Amino acid sequence: MNGFLLLIPFLLVRFGLLALLDREAVGRAAHFAPMSGGEIPAYWVYQISTAAIFIYLCFCKIAVLPLWLFGAGLAVYLLGLLACGASIVSFAAPSGGGPLTKGAYRFSRNPMYGAYFLLFLGCALLTQSPALGGIVLVFQISAHWIILAEERWCLERFGDAYRQYMDRVRRYL
């Protein structure tokens, strides 16, 4: 089975579910905070690595053997898909005017990025592709820089409310 098929549930959750719950949230999710310094090249690395994951999966096959690796990959993939769904549901119902702190955002300030990492890591395990695993690692490192820009933007926008949220909730898990 072609690895690209693994992206279909992800795309349905990421875009379909989000559009179904709140069309305006699709635009909010596509917004990137203003970046400066090392965040700018990191943004391009993030975009290129995302495209590379999608393209590379077109050339990968899902491997069932060894069974333990398939099982581990499937578990990580499904956990990522579930986490993505939970973060999308939370993202579609923002806290009126303040920082988003409900649902999945009670446990992580960046649950969507964590979900993407798990899902893409699951894809790398399911296809048993070290190259895809490397691309996912580059993706996640560059995402950290995007997250730093987003947090700075949230501090500017929400001030003390976001600072208090940062004190209560971890960046990742």
Side-chain angles (χ1 to χ4, degrees):
M1 181 178 354
N2 189 290
F4 186 77
L5 294 175
L6 295 168
L7 292 175
I8 294 171
F10 165 68
L11 293 171
L12 288 173
V13 169
R14 170 62 176 81
F15 295 102
L17 179 62
L18 189 57
L20 187 66
L21 294 172
D22 181 1
R23 285 207 177 274
E24 290 178 17
V26 176
R28 283 195 330 268
H31 174 264
F32 282 91
M35 292 174 213
S36 62
E39 297 160 352
I40 296 168
Y43 167 83
W44 289 107
V45 171
Y46 177 83
Q47 295 296 350
I48 292 166
S49 62
T50 301
I53 290 168
F54 278 57
I55 292 167
Y56 197 81
L57 274 169
C58 292
F59 301 99
C60 292
K61 300 281 185 225
I62 297 171
V64 179
L65 297 175
L67 199 53
W68 68 269
L69 187 53
F70 175 78
L74 186 60
V76 172
Y77 173 81
L78 291 175
L79 181 62
L81 194 59
L82 182 66
C84 188
S87 63
I88 290 296
V89 169
S90 300
F91 188 82
S95 312
L100 184 55
T101 61
K102 305 249 189 274
Y105 290 84
R106 289 179 304 163
F107 309 106
S108 169
R109 296 195 309 259
N110 301 284
M112 265 196 251
Y113 288 108
Y116 298 163
F117 175 67
L118 287 173
L119 191 132
F120 294 150
L121 178 61
C123 290
L125 292 170
L126 285 167
T127 59
Q128 297 180 25
S129 172
L132 183 58
I135 296 169
V136 170
L137 187 60
V138 168
F139 165 84
Q140 192 59 33
I141 291 168
S142 63
H144 177 74
W145 290 85
I146 305 299
I147 289 166
L148 294 177
E150 287 179 0
E151 289 184 344
R152 186 177 58 252
W153 180 81
C154 286
L155 279 168
E156 291 169 4
R157 183 167 182 196
F158 302 117
D160 285 337
Y162 193 76
R163 190 168 282 104
Q164 291 169 2
Y165 173 62
M166 290 175 79
D167 289 342
R168 285 190 326 268
V169 178
R170 297 174 72 134
R171 180 175 284 144
Y172 298 109
L173 280 179

